[in-house]
Amino acid sequence: STIDYINKLRTGKIKSLKTSFVKLNKALLNGVDWNRIFTIAGRSGSGKSTILEQIKRDFIDLNDEPFEILSFEFEMLMEDQLTRYASSQTKKSLKEIYSAEAPLNQADYDEVVQLLEKRKEVPVYYVDNPGTPAQIRATILNFAMERNLKDTGKGLVVSIDHVLLTKGRQGDAEKAIVDELMFTLLELKKYFASIGQRCLFLVLSQLNRDIEREERVLNPVLHFPTRNDLFGASSIYHTSDYVLISHRPADVVGMGEYYGRPRENYPKGLPTKYPSDPKRDMVYWHLIKERFGKPVIIPMAENFKHASIEEVNL
């Protein structure tokens, strides 16, 4: 019941899942709370997959809540995702770990092996093959049942990378497939909540091309992304409890050094390069939908070389 859920939150029997991003935790309910659909959208190169993997790592490393992760990896190979994890921990680039320019030395190799061996203990289960919304639904339900999550008191975190790679029936348009998937996740969220199973859906999606139009690039008032920039905007926006758009303005042709309207500390607009390290791009997280609060902009700096993104102050 609602009263029981509020009491469990009050007494700490149910806790939001904290991330390493302090401002994101604060913008939400002291972390990412259960029984939600959290969509992360952005252009290619904005770091969506990096963000998703970092949030999942944070869930595992920073929380004592019992849960298991079912990870649908439609875009990247599982091997690459695990290597990204090793890169973030060792501060070595993917090229270094993959011996692209020089063989990885024995000590660094041993460190990577130790990290990946330890990662086997983490409750993350991968699905590599793209499926239809109906197949994804069946896989999620079967996983929850076979792992006996409800009876063992474990939460279920489902991540989908990403919605545009979901398979559809022959002849289905991409938007129709996205719509079907999002309404399927909404149905699952309500079903799991009704039986007392904690669940959380983390979904990656794309922006359409409108944000790259010259008219918007040249007009600072139109720089910031909105709900209309989401591909399949209607279903994604309405079914999601949280919508975060990750935007890397330096990667937009013609953007220049400044982003958005003038601000008190930045009379020409927000910087597109990280002021403390101009070799790195700024990434701005626009939380455009938050059911229990107001939209916010969270400044970040990319560290894609080491498969991570960092919260910064401006």
Coordinates of all heavy atoms in Angstrom, one line a residue, residues 51 111-112 159 215 248:
I51 N 27.6 7.2 -19.3 CA 26.7 7.6 -18.2 C 26.0 6.4 -17.6 O 26.0 6.2 -16.4 CB 25.8 8.7 -18.6 CG1 26.5 10.0 -19.0 CG2 24.8 9.1 -17.5 CD1 25.7 11.0 -19.8
E111 N 46.5 -6.3 -13.4 CA 45.6 -5.4 -12.7 C 44.2 -5.5 -13.4 O 43.2 -5.6 -12.7 CB 46.1 -4.0 -12.7 CG 45.1 -3.0 -12.0 CD 45.6 -1.6 -12.0 OE1 46.6 -1.3 -12.8 OE2 45.0 -0.7 -11.3
V112 N 44.2 -5.5 -14.7 CA 42.9 -5.6 -15.5 C 42.3 -6.9 -15.2 O 41.0 -7.0 -14.9 CB 43.2 -5.4 -17.0 CG1 41.9 -5.8 -17.8 CG2 43.6 -4.0 -17.3
S159 N 18.4 -2.2 -17.6 CA 18.9 -1.2 -18.4 C 18.8 -1.6 -19.9 O 19.0 -2.8 -20.2 CB 20.4 -0.9 -18.1 OG 21.2 -2.0 -18.4
E215 N 19.7 27.6 -37.5 CA 18.9 28.6 -36.8 C 19.0 28.5 -35.3 O 19.0 29.5 -34.6 CB 17.4 28.5 -37.2 CG 17.2 28.7 -38.7 CD 17.1 27.4 -39.4 OE1 18.1 26.6 -39.4 OE2 16.0 27.1 -40.0
R248 N 26.5 17.7 -25.3 CA 27.9 18.1 -25.4 C 28.0 19.2 -26.5 O 28.2 18.9 -27.7 CB 28.7 16.9 -25.8 CG 30.2 17.1 -25.9 CD 30.8 15.8 -26.4 NE 32.2 15.8 -26.6 CZ 32.9 14.9 -27.3 NH1 32.2 13.8 -27.7 NH2 34.2 15.0 -27.5

